[in-house]
Amino acid sequence: MDHIKRIFDLAYQQAELYPNNKMFVSKIEGEWKPIQPAEFIDQTIQLAKGFLALGVKPGDKVGLVCESCYQWHVVDFAIQQIGAVVVAIYPNISNSEYEFILTDAEINLCIVSSKNLYKRINSLKQRVTNLQDVFSIQQVEGARNWSEIVELGKTVNEQQVFALRDAVKETDLATLIYTSGTSGQPKGVMLSHKNIVSNVLSANDLILLRQGSRGLTFLPPCHAYERTVIYCYLSFGIAVYFAEGLEKIGDNINEVKPHIMTAVPRIMEKVYEKIIKTGSNLKGTKRKIFDWSVEVAAQYEPDASKRSFIYNIKLGIARKLVLNKFYSALGGNFQNIISGSASLQGRIARVFMASGLPFYEGYGMTETAPLITVNNPYKLGVRIGTVGSPVDGVQVKLAADGEILVKGPNVMLGYYKNEKATAEVLKDGWLHTGDIGTWELGEGKFLKIIDRKKEMFKISGGKYVVPAPIENKLTESKYIEQAMVVGDGEKFPSALIVPNYLNLKEWAEVSLPEIAALTKNEFLKHAEIQKFINQEVKTANQFFGNWEQLKKCAIIADEFTIENGELTPTLKKKRKVIAAKYKQEIENIFK
């Protein structure tokens, strides 16, 4: 792979090495239909000719707003090959964020996937004066379709595409990805071909799967994490299967039987909850066996030297009776499930790994294209509760205050048109991540993320409180769906807690049937429910110092969502937004 310099080289390499490979596979009219490398390359060239006919020049920014699908990658590679810049935009952000990005990136031409996105983006033309053309991938009445771009391109000689393609350098800007921004306006992260390709090469000893293996993708490819992983699939000849959507992910896993998949903690938590829910419906001896097996799994250590002889006997029994069924239910072929974006609860990770699911956590950010560290079973091994060790070519060190600093070929060029923000994070060749970490087993071994630097706060007694570990411990309870720790400058920390309403109601139907029939709001406000949730908080408090223990938590009925502006597209909490929305509830806590 030494000759891979630009991202689009990955397609040509696959055509050379694996010409008959199933490069991309989509479900069309109920059947999985593959695309081979030569066909994919030809489609990107035809579309690139159309972009030239529309006047797109090297360095121009082209918007791409689309869910996970084959067409996203055709557009991506077509734009890159003429030296233009792909501005990959999330399909689930607010109109104000679209307006900011389209204006800031000076986008003249935007490709969208659907009728809804076409209407939203097209409606912004009056306020975004630089936006001239919007094309839809789906057939939408009254909208320009992306097939028109191919038609326009028939007047352009493909040699023009080849000449521009050959002129693209590895140091050229390949893409702008706007950070979702937990506070303030999004910032356009500038990533070169070299930034991203270096990350792909770093995965060479992490993903041992090769040509003929199957990868399932369902996360949006505009996310640096999923995008780079798909580029890894292409570099290794792994067939990329597109899931039909989150609601069909279970069906698709059983149809495709993938060998590898990426996930975010929220998805894995939902899978875990579904498994536990299934077990809770069992009765008598079967229920006892299920619960015992899960508890055995929850004590799992990936390092075999740390497991006792007695434990291994228990694990073998638990796998035979229950845990192997978890693996089979998820296709029965997985060799890698890689999780990122946020930390996963340790208990869930242990249960999955004990079930034979090869589940490895990593750490990265858009500004590093994105991979920084990963738990690699083929090198140092796996340590639950950490994000592993630095990948090849990437240096990581901790500043005096514990902030994680990163240096390597994957570090961004900077923030687009924002020298001040760039200077704040790029200092002396090191990227200041804003994350706080510690090393386990010595420097360079296993990195543990403690919290975001900006999310730490002091209570009035002068002690620091780190929200993330407390929130993770709270949500280990099956009765707590989400939590946000608050209390900056106050006498004690507290939290806004979103209960798991369905699990609570199920508990109440057995323990307190007289209140189970109440409306959701009445139910959650009932003294017995408040008392029950407070007991769950007390259980979590045991794991923290006196100054970190929560008091007088407020129960919130509605889940934090992307649609309500409380979560970023990568499911990180927008703390300022949530705090503003529940200002009164927070004030009542500290009265």
Side-chain angles (χ1 to χ4, degrees):
M1 292 197 296
D2 291 343
H3 61 289
I4 299 293
K5 301 292 184 184
R6 293 86 46 96
I7 297 165
F8 53 77
D9 288 336
L10 294 166
Y12 292 91
Q13 174 195 256
Q14 186 163 144
E16 179 186 335
L17 297 179
Y18 319 115
N20 299 317
N21 196 44
K22 294 177 180 179
M23 189 178 187
F24 293 105
V25 189
S26 307
K27 199 170 190 185
I28 301 169
E29 296 178 350
E31 289 186 38
W32 292 99
K33 301 286 181 69
I35 296 287
Q36 292 182 325
E39 186 177 357
F40 172 72
I41 290 170
D42 181 64
Q43 289 178 9
T44 66
I45 291 169
Q46 301 313 313
L47 192 62
K49 288 166 58 180
F51 285 135
L52 292 177
L54 284 165
V56 178
K57 302 181 297 298
D60 284 354
K61 316 299 185 298
V62 181
L64 176 54
V65 193
C66 181
E67 299 82 2
S68 176
C69 64
Y70 168 68
Q71 292 85 347
W72 193 100
H73 299 277
V74 176
V75 176
D76 177 38
F77 276 56
I79 295 168
Q80 290 180 37
Q81 288 185 87
I82 56 174
V85 179
V86 182
V87 184
I89 310 173
Y90 284 97
N92 57 355
I93 58 177
S94 67
N95 280 4
S96 62
E97 287 175 298
Y98 282 132
E99 185 178 338
F100 175 83
I101 293 170
L102 293 166
T103 302
D104 190 66
E106 302 157 326
I107 291 172
N108 297 321
L109 168 64
C110 190
I111 312 295
V112 302
S113 60
S114 62
K115 180 178 180 180
N116 176 53
L117 284 168
Y118 178 83
K119 289 174 68 176
R120 290 180 66 190
I121 300 297
N122 204 50
S123 71
L124 299 174
K125 274 187 173 180
Q126 288 185 331
R127 294 195 294 280
V128 183
T129 54
N130 48 276
L131 182 61
Q132 297 172 8
D133 295 307
V134 182
F135 290 86
S136 172
I137 292 171
Q138 292 179 6
Q139 288 287 346
V140 175
E141 187 177 350
R144 300 187 74 181
N145 190 264
W146 77 320
S147 60
E148 290 181 41
I149 304 176
V150 174
E151 283 299 313
L152 290 168
K154 289 180 177 178
T155 61
V156 177
N157 190 311
E158 64 184 24
Q159 292 302 319
Q160 289 181 246
V161 175
F162 299 151
L164 290 170
R165 179 194 67 195
D166 294 343
V168 175
K169 300 187 294 294
E170 64 176 332
T171 52
D172 287 347
L173 178 62
T175 188
L176 275 181
I177 304 176
Y178 279 78
T179 57
S180 41
T182 53
S183 61
Q185 292 285 17
K187 297 188 288 288
V189 175
M190 297 188 291
L191 295 175
S192 68
H193 288 271
K194 184 177 181 179
N195 290 150
I196 294 173
V197 168
S198 72
N199 237 207
V200 172
L201 298 177
S202 293
N204 197 41
D205 63 355
L206 169 65
I207 301 172
L208 300 189
L209 295 165
R210 290 296 182 265
Q211 195 267 338
S213 301
R214 295 179 297 279
L216 184 68
T217 179
F218 62 93
L219 297 174
C222 53
H223 190 334
Y225 166 46
E226 189 70 4
R227 186 176 183 179
T228 296
V229 166
I230 291 174
Y231 292 152
C232 288
Y233 294 166
L234 299 184
S235 72
F236 302 140
I238 297 171
V240 181
Y241 282 74
F242 295 96
E244 296 174 90
L246 200 53
E247 69 284 354
K248 290 192 176 180
I249 189 72
D251 293 338
N252 293 160
I253 284 174
N254 281 300
E255 291 164 2
V256 173
K257 300 192 182 306
H259 300 93
I260 188 169
M261 180 180 79
T262 52
V264 293
R266 195 76 192 106
I267 301 299
M268 299 313 295
E269 287 165 7
K270 292 288 187 186
V271 172
Y272 178 80
E273 287 167 8
K274 188 173 181 180
I275 289 170
I276 299 303
K277 177 81 171 174
T278 301
S280 68
N281 291 331
L282 299 173
K283 304 295 181 186
T285 303
K286 287 184 177 180
R287 172 67 183 271
K288 288 179 181 177
I289 291 171
F290 179 90
D291 290 345
W292 176 82
S293 298
V294 170
E295 282 309 310
V296 169
Q299 308 305 316
Y300 181 78
E301 277 292 344
D303 184 347
S305 67
K306 294 183 178 180
R307 301 198 296 264
S308 70
F309 176 73
I310 297 298
Y311 177 82
N312 283 334
I313 291 174
K314 289 180 180 178
L315 179 63
I317 296 169
R319 281 176 170 168
K320 189 173 182 180
L321 294 176
V322 173
L323 301 179
N324 287 346
K325 294 172 185 175
F326 297 177
Y327 186 82
S328 298
L330 288 170
N333 268 339
F334 275 120
Q335 294 182 39
N336 293 84
I337 299 177
I338 306 170
S339 178
S341 182
S343 61
L344 182 72
Q345 298 169 21
R347 179 184 176 87
I348 294 177
R350 291 180 195 280
V351 171
F352 281 138
M353 294 187 75
S355 305
L357 288 164
F359 184 84
Y360 311 123
E361 284 195 84
Y363 164 61
M365 55 196 305
T366 305
E367 288 84 345
T368 58
L371 193 57
I372 298 172
T373 67
V374 70
N375 276 283
N376 187 343
Y378 313 114
K379 289 186 78 175
L380 290 181
V382 176
R383 193 170 178 86
I384 292 173
T386 78
V387 290
S389 54
V391 297
D392 283 351
V394 175
Q395 300 176 58
V396 177
K397 70 177 183 179
L398 302 182
D401 63 356
E403 183 175 7
I404 299 165
L405 311 183
V406 180
K407 181 188 283 188
N410 59 330
V411 173
M412 68 171 179
L413 303 176
Y415 294 118
Y416 186 60
K417 296 194 304 187
N418 197 334
E419 291 182 8
K420 182 183 177 186
T422 301
E424 287 174 356
V425 298
L426 286 176
K427 303 170 187 176
D428 301 321
W430 290 88
L431 175 72
H432 290 239
T433 65
D435 291 320
I436 302 296
T438 59
W439 291 111
E440 292 193 2
L441 301 185
E443 187 172 348
K445 299 294 187 192
F446 292 94
L447 183 66
K448 185 179 179 68
I449 309 295
I450 298 175
D451 206 358
R452 288 288 297 171
K453 188 174 181 179
K454 292 179 181 177
E455 290 173 2
M456 293 172 62
F457 61 81
K458 273 185 182 180
I459 54 175
S460 58
K463 292 275 193 179
Y464 277 105
V465 173
V466 182
I470 303 172
E471 291 165 356
N472 287 342
K473 184 56 68 174
L474 286 168
T475 54
E476 283 184 12
S477 164
K478 64 185 282 190
Y479 301 107
I480 296 178
E481 186 76 11
Q482 295 169 314
M484 188 180 92
V485 173
V486 297
D488 187 12
E490 302 291 347
K491 291 181 181 178
F492 55 84
S494 184
L496 300 175
I497 290 179
V498 180
N500 186 311
Y501 175 62
L502 293 180
N503 286 350
L504 262 182
K505 191 169 182 183
E506 190 176 88
W507 167 81
E509 283 170 351
V510 175
S511 305
L512 295 166
E514 66 275 12
I515 68 167
L518 295 173
T519 66
K520 181 178 179 180
N521 282 335
E522 290 172 337
F523 177 79
L524 293 177
K525 288 178 181 177
H526 195 280
E528 289 296 332
I529 297 302
Q530 301 266 333
K531 180 180 174 183
F532 185 83
I533 292 295
N534 282 331
Q535 189 55 51
E536 295 297 296
V537 172
K538 284 180 182 177
T539 300
N541 275 342
Q542 297 172 37
F543 294 88
F544 301 100
N546 289 336
W547 74 94
E548 299 169 297
Q549 293 184 2
L550 308 180
K551 300 178 179 67
K552 294 177 64 177
C553 295
I555 293 177
I556 305 300
D558 298 322
E559 192 171 338
F560 307 141
T561 65
I562 296 169
E563 293 71 24
N564 290 340
E566 297 148 339
L567 300 179
T568 71
T570 54
L571 304 180
K572 295 182 179 72
K573 288 185 278 288
K574 293 187 177 181
R575 294 179 185 270
K576 288 185 178 178
V577 173
I578 295 170
K581 181 172 181 177
Y582 295 105
K583 183 171 181 269
Q584 190 60 58
E585 285 83 353
I586 294 171
E587 286 178 357
N588 289 341
I589 290 171
F590 300 110
K591 276 183 178 177

